[in-house]
């Protein structure tokens, strides 16, 4: 039986892979951040992302390159990929919003919805469910929301100030932007030519109640790879899960 929701799910995506990755040096001295490999996986971050997107029904991806773009482009030319990939490189800095708009202009289906993901995110959850959530709320943009673990131990106290328990690296009580998105076709037209959409477009949509937040399901894996410690922790977590 045909799933009627499938007609509203994206088959195209943008991967934002142009960051300097300065906090990941020396790993990013000779490669862009998305080309850094999680130890033990044999796959760079972007390889994982493209595989995940393909599994979720995506057929065409635009990769927005920047720092050491030629290294990423060379890998894409030789990699065995399950999706069609186009690369774009900004000729001048456009900011996060402008860069996203520039990449979106190269999507194969400008009149259809699309996914986007930051190039340093290592995650697995159902993008199909997120797309359905987006459609049900008539949103223009939907952000995946994560609860990262606090990197310190926490304490629990009672009403008298006595410590009753110690909690190692508890999840944050706040949800954060997880760097994965679903966008309706009109979203690209709302992006600035230059600048940061998170300071302009997102607040505007939030005021209109057209910005939705999709909580990543409990038990799903998510980590932003920002530092060498993140690489080490991701390797441990993925090994524990048998990946």
């Amino acid at each position: 039986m045909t799933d009627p929701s499938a007609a509203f799910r994206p088959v195209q995506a943008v991967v934002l892979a142009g960051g300097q990755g300065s906090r990941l040096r020396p790993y990013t001295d000779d490669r862009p951040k998305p080309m850094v490999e999680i130890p033990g996986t044999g796959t760079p971050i972007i390889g994982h992302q493209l595989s995940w997107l393909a599994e979720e029904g995506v057929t065409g991806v635009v990769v927005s390159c920047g720092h050491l773009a030629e290294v990423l482009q060379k890998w894409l030319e030789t990699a065995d990929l399950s999706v069609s990939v186009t690369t774009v490189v900004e000729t001048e800095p456009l900011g996060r919003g402008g860069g996203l708009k520039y990449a979106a202009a190269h999507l194969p289906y400008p009149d259809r919805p699309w996914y986007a993901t930051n190039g340093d995110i290592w995650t697995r959850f159902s993008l199909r469910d997120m797309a359905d959530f987006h459609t049900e709320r008539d949103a223009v943009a939907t952000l995946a929301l994560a609860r990262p673990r606090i990197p310190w131990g926490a304490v629990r106290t009672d009403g008298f100030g006595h410590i009753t328990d110690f909690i190692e690296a508890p999840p944050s009580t706040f949800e954060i932007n997880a760097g994965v998105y679903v966008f309706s076709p009109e979203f690209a037209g709302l992006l600035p030519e230059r600048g940061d959409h998170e300071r302009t477009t997102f607040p505007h949509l939030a005021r209109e109640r057209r910005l939705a937040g999709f909580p990543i399901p409990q038990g799903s894996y998510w980590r932003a790879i920002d530092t060498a410690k993140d690489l080490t922790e991701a390797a441990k977590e993925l090994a524990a899960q048998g990946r």
Side-chain angles (χ1 to χ4, degrees):
M1 185 175 180
T2 303
D3 183 354
S5 299
F8 300 99
R9 293 172 186 155
V11 296
Q12 57 187 352
V14 168
V15 176
L16 299 171
Q20 291 284 334
S22 56
R23 296 176 64 197
L24 259 177
R25 288 175 178 157
Y27 297 98
T28 51
D29 284 345
D30 62 353
R31 70 196 63 195
K33 186 193 281 191
M35 282 299 299
V36 173
E37 178 186 323
I38 306 296
T41 67
T43 305
I45 298 170
I46 195 166
H48 165 86
Q49 291 183 326
L50 293 174
S51 174
W52 175 48
L53 289 168
E55 290 172 7
E56 293 294 326
V58 172
T59 57
V61 177
V62 176
V63 178
S64 178
C65 307
H67 174 65
L68 296 174
E70 65 280 1
V71 177
L72 178 51
Q73 290 170 324
K74 184 176 181 180
W75 181 83
L76 289 169
E77 289 171 3
T78 58
D80 182 16
L81 304 174
S82 302
V83 292
S84 173
V85 177
T86 300
T87 60
V88 297
V89 182
E90 296 174 28
T91 55
E92 56 183 324
L94 299 174
R96 290 193 297 177
L100 187 59
K101 187 183 189 78
Y102 180 67
H106 295 79
L107 287 166
Y109 308 107
D111 59 343
R112 298 187 63 176
W114 45 293
Y115 297 117
T117 180
N118 296 343
D120 59 356
I121 300 299
W122 189 278
T123 187
R124 284 274 169 154
F125 63 90
S126 174
L127 286 174
R128 291 181 174 91
D129 287 350
M130 184 176 173
D132 293 346
F133 180 96
H134 172 84
T135 300
E136 289 164 2
R137 282 148 187 83
D138 192 29
V140 173
T142 296
L143 287 60
L145 304 177
R147 289 185 185 273
R149 290 195 171 275
I150 298 171
W152 308 283
V155 296
R156 180 175 285 127
T157 59
D158 62 18
F160 294 98
H162 298 121
I163 293 176
T164 60
D165 199 5
F166 293 90
I167 309 166
E168 184 64 29
S172 168
T173 55
F174 293 98
E175 294 174 310
I176 67 163
N177 180 350
V180 181
Y181 312 90
V182 182
F183 296 134
S184 294
E186 63 265 38
F187 179 76
L190 301 175
L191 287 166
E193 296 291 339
R194 295 174 183 272
D196 188 348
H197 61 292
E198 295 194 9
R199 296 181 180 274
T200 55
T201 311
F202 280 173
H204 172 74
L205 290 173
R207 287 192 294 270
E208 293 187 341
R209 298 294 188 268
R210 302 295 301 280
L211 184 68
F214 174 79
I216 293 177
Q218 188 173 2
S220 298
Y221 187 76
W222 180 89
R223 179 176 283 275
I225 308 298
D226 290 321
T227 65
K229 183 178 180 181
D230 290 324
L231 282 176
T232 303
E233 292 299 317
K236 291 178 182 177
E237 292 161 353
L238 293 170
Q241 295 176 22
R243 296 181 183 177

